[in-house]
Amino acid sequence: QVQLTESGGGLVQAGDSLRLSCAASGRTFSNYAMGWFRQAPGKEREFVAGISRSGVNTYYANSVKGRFTISRDNAKNTVYLQMNSLKPEDTAVYYCAANLVTLGYSDYYNAQRYDYWGQGTQVTVSS
């Protein structure tokens, strides 16, 4: 069992930055690949970014590539999402998720491959 707790969301203006954190407790954090997803009102949950167990490999949705950076600190059991140049369309509830088994890069993009989820943190970007 892994418990995930997101923090760092808030209300910002377009062009601003935010850093989301996801603290994990329970089983060995470094055993899990991690991902960030988001869900806007009336829309399906979508992949944002993913990171391998070691942190060497990262993956991004095209919509955030070049603006968002995912990272992790296994010593602190925490994964981060640095979000720069925020846009109103980034407004959503952001969730972190843990994936125990990643057979290929495509597993990072598939929400159904993740075993544990946090409760989410709201990010609102005003224009």
Side-chain angles (χ1 to χ4, degrees):
Q1 189 80 11
V2 173
Q3 291 80 41
L4 303 173
T5 305
E6 302 96 337
S7 62
L11 172 62
V12 296
Q13 293 186 334
D16 286 350
S17 298
L18 275 177
R19 188 175 82 156
L20 305 183
S21 299
C22 173
S25 61
R27 295 192 174 181
T28 305
F29 179 67
S30 58
N31 286 345
Y32 290 84
M34 299 297 295
W36 285 97
F37 288 76
R38 67 187 182 187
Q39 187 166 19
K43 294 187 178 181
E44 294 186 355
R45 190 170 298 190
E46 65 173 358
F47 170 79
V48 176
I51 188 166
S52 61
R53 293 166 183 78
S54 65
V56 170
N57 297 312
T58 57
Y59 308 88
Y60 297 94
N62 288 336
S63 59
V64 307
K65 199 171 294 182
R67 300 188 297 123
F68 291 11
T69 302
I70 188 172
S71 61
R72 67 189 296 163
D73 185 337
N74 285 344
K76 295 183 178 180
N77 290 356
T78 302
V79 62
Y80 305 97
L81 185 68
Q82 177 66 44
M83 305 185 295
N84 297 330
S85 302
L86 282 161
K87 304 175 181 180
E89 51 263 44
D90 294 319
T91 295
V93 177
Y94 283 71
Y95 300 89
C96 70
N99 181 336
L100 182 59
V101 179
T102 49
L103 302 179
Y105 79 94
S106 62
D107 289 339
Y108 290 89
Y109 295 81
N110 185 352
Q112 295 182 350
R113 297 293 299 170
Y114 288 80
D115 306 289
Y116 302 101
W117 292 81
Q119 81 290 347
T121 186
Q122 177 71 46
V123 173
T124 303
V125 184
S126 63
S127 57

